[in-house]
C-alpha cells in the first residue's frame, strides 16, 4: 500500500495561549476532559506559529471583501503560493475552498491545571510620565495611567500531533494546477524544521517549545497515528506495549536527553530513540524519497 501521509506526535515544554480577558485579568485557554481541567495551546495558535516560523506565510497576501481572507486568484493559488498550503476560502466572485494539507491537534498539558497567577503593574512608565509632567503618582494615579494587571501563567509539558497529507501538498484542484516535486518536498521539510526548533513569544517572553520526545514517520494512513499512545504521567513517558509495537512497524522516535522526562533510561532501553536532530534528518530524508527528489 502506497504511503501517503507524514505523522508526528510531539511532547514539548511550552506555554499555553490566552483566551478572552476580563478587565485587566488574562486567562490561559483550557479544556475539560477526564473530569479535570487542562491548559492548552490551541491548534489554531500552534498552526499559525509553525507556518510563520516555517516561512510558509512569507508570501501571504490578504484582502478584505466582507471578511478578511487570504487572496486567491488563478495565478495565486496553492500551487504557486506557500501561504495557501494551510487551506483557504475565497468568497470574492466565485467561491473557492481548498482544505489544508497540514492538520494539528491542540497541544494539551500532561498534568491538570494548577492556577499560578502573576501580578504586574506599569509603575516605571507611570512614574516616568508623572515626573515629566509634574504630577504625583500617588495623588494622580488615574492621570498618569498607573494600572495593575494580572494573568494566569502556565508552562508545562504538552502533547500534540501533526499530520501532513503528502498527496495534497502543492496541489490546487480549483485551478487544476500543481507545484513541482522539489517545491512539495521543500514545503514539508520547512514545516519539519519549524517543529524541530519551535520558538514562541508569549506575553513578551521567549518560549523554547522544541520537542522533548517525538515519534512518527511516513504512513499509509492519514491520521494522527500516535495520538492515543503517547502519554506523560508525573514527568514519565508511559511506555505501553501499544506504543512499542507501533514504533516497531517502521516508525522512528527521538529523545532530547536533558532529564526533562524522568524515565529517560527506560525509554532508551525499550524504544532505542535517536537524538532529536537525527530524527528530523531521517524524516526529511524520507520526504525526499517519497517525492523522488
Amino acid at each position: 500500500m502506497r504511503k501517503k501521509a507524514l505523522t508526528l506526535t510531539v511532547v514539548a515544554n511550552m506555554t499555553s495561549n490566552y483566551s478572552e480577558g476580563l478587565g485587566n485579568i488574562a486567562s490561559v485557554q483550557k479544556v475539560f476532559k477526564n473530569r479535570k481541567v487542562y491548559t492548552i495551546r490551541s491548534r489554531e495558535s500552534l498552526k499559525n506559529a509553525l507556518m510563520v516560523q516555517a516561512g510558509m506565510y512569507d508570501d501571504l497576501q490578504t484582502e478584505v471583501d466582507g471578511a478578511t481572507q487570504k487572496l486567491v486568484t488563478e495565478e495565486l493559488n496553492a500551487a504557486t503560493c506557500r501561504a495557501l498550503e494551510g487551506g483557504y476560502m475565497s468568497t470574492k466572485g466565485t467561491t473557492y475552498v481548498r482544505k489544508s494539507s497540514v492538520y494539528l491537534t491542540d497541544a494539551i498539558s500532561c498534568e491538570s491545571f494548577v492556577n499560578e497567577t502573576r501580578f504586574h503593574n506599569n509603575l516605571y512608565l507611570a512614574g516616568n510620565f508623572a515626573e515629566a509632567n509634574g504630577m504625583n503618582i500617588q495623588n494622580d494615579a488615574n492621570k498618569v495611567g498607573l494600572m495593575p494587571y494580572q494573568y494566569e501563567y502556565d508552562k508545562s509539558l504538552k502533547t500534540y500531533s501533526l499530520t501532513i497529507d503528502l498527496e495534497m501538498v502543492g496541489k490546487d484542484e480549483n485551478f487544476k494546477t500543481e507545484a513541482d516535486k522539489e517545491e512539495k518536498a521543500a514545503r514539508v521539510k520547512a514545516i519539519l524544521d519549524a517543529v524541530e526548533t519551535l520558538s514562541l513569544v508569549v506575553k513578551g517572553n521567549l518560549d523554547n517549545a522544541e520537542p522533548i520526545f517525538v515519534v512518527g514517520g511516513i504512513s499509509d494512513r492519514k491520521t494522527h497515528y500516535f495520538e492515543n499512545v503517547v502519554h506523560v504521567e508525573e514527568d514519565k513517558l508511559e511506555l505501553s506495549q501499544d506504543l512499542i509495537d507501533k514504533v516497531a512497524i517502521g516508525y522512528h522516535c527521538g529523545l532530547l536527553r536533558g532529564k526533562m522526562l524522568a524515565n529517560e533510561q527506560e525509554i532508551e532501553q525499550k524504544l532505542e530513540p535517536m537524538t532529536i536532530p537525527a530524527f528530523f534528518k531521517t524524516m526529511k530524508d524520507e520526504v525526499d524519497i517519497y517525492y523522488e527528489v
Side-chain angles (χ1 to χ4, degrees):
M1 184 180 293
R2 176 171 167 77
K3 294 184 177 181
K4 46 198 174 187
L6 186 149
T7 182
L8 304 176
T9 293
V10 177
V11 178
N13 188 30
M14 68 168 66
T15 55
S16 302
N17 61 301
Y18 286 81
S19 57
E20 295 295 326
L22 180 63
N24 64 342
I25 303 172
S27 59
V28 294
Q29 287 202 357
K30 307 177 187 72
V31 65
F32 182 80
K33 69 170 189 173
N34 300 330
R35 297 177 298 281
K36 293 182 180 179
V37 174
Y38 295 84
T39 55
I40 69 169
R41 175 162 289 276
S42 70
R43 69 191 69 189
E44 294 85 3
S45 170
L46 189 56
K47 180 179 178 181
N48 185 75
L50 286 170
M51 295 291 277
V52 169
Q53 187 166 319
M56 296 291 283
Y57 282 167
D58 287 355
D59 58 0
L60 176 65
Q61 297 183 52
T62 56
E63 64 176 351
V64 178
D65 183 42
T68 303
Q69 56 192 356
K70 297 175 182 177
L71 178 63
V72 179
T73 66
E74 190 168 349
E75 294 75 29
L76 198 69
N77 53 65
T80 61
C81 177
R82 289 187 174 190
L84 301 179
E85 192 64 64
Y88 64 78
M89 174 183 283
S90 175
T91 58
K92 187 174 182 179
T94 303
T95 296
Y96 292 111
V97 178
R98 195 265 193 185
K99 294 181 180 179
S100 176
S101 62
V102 182
Y103 298 91
L104 283 146
T105 66
D106 295 330
I108 303 178
S109 176
C110 300
E111 299 289 345
S112 58
F113 179 58
V114 176
N115 191 5
E116 180 184 341
T117 305
R118 297 197 170 184
F119 300 88
H120 296 270
N121 60 59
N122 62 338
L123 180 61
Y124 186 83
L125 292 177
N128 179 268
F129 182 85
E131 183 179 356
N133 292 275
M135 297 181 183
N136 182 284
I137 197 167
Q138 283 79 26
N139 297 333
D140 303 306
N142 290 333
K143 294 180 181 179
V144 301
L146 182 63
M147 183 186 69
Y149 62 96
Q150 63 192 70
Y151 60 88
E152 294 175 342
Y153 177 79
D154 170 74
K155 182 175 174 71
S156 57
L157 290 181
K158 292 180 174 65
T159 304
Y160 69 91
S161 294
L162 162 74
T163 296
I164 302 175
D165 184 341
L166 298 176
E167 293 183 313
M168 190 176 182
V169 171
K171 291 183 181 179
D172 198 320
E173 295 295 338
N174 292 317
F175 302 99
K176 308 301 179 186
T177 184
E178 185 173 346
D180 60 38
K181 58 187 181 181
E182 288 80 9
E183 172 63 15
K184 292 179 183 180
R187 293 183 185 187
V188 177
K189 290 188 289 185
I191 295 172
L192 286 172
D193 284 336
V195 173
E196 182 182 1
T197 61
L198 183 59
S199 181
L200 306 168
V201 176
V202 184
K203 292 288 183 184
N205 297 312
L206 193 61
D207 177 22
N208 180 353
E210 67 183 354
I212 303 301
F213 174 81
V214 57
V215 60
I218 307 268
S219 172
D220 57 3
R221 297 175 57 190
K222 297 178 182 180
T223 187
H224 303 307
Y225 188 61
F226 288 91
E227 180 182 15
N228 295 325
V229 293
V230 175
H231 303 286
V232 176
E233 187 78 27
E234 297 181 354
D235 293 339
K236 291 183 179 180
L237 180 69
E238 293 185 7
L239 294 167
S240 66
Q241 192 60 48
D242 288 307
L243 172 58
I244 294 169
D245 290 346
K246 282 193 170 192
V247 172
I249 58 173
Y251 294 93
H252 313 279
C253 61
L255 175 67
L256 182 68
R257 291 156 176 84
K259 304 300 182 184
M260 292 296 296
L261 293 170
N263 60 335
E264 279 189 14
Q265 187 173 359
E266 185 183 11
I267 295 170
E268 296 211 31
Q269 290 174 348
K270 294 186 177 181
L271 293 179
E272 299 180 354
M274 305 175 178
T275 64
I276 296 295
F279 173 87
F280 281 96
K281 182 181 184 306
T282 298
M283 292 299 97
K284 286 182 279 188
D285 288 345
E286 291 191 359
V287 169
D288 283 341
I289 291 171
Y290 177 87
Y291 286 116
E292 299 177 344
V293 297

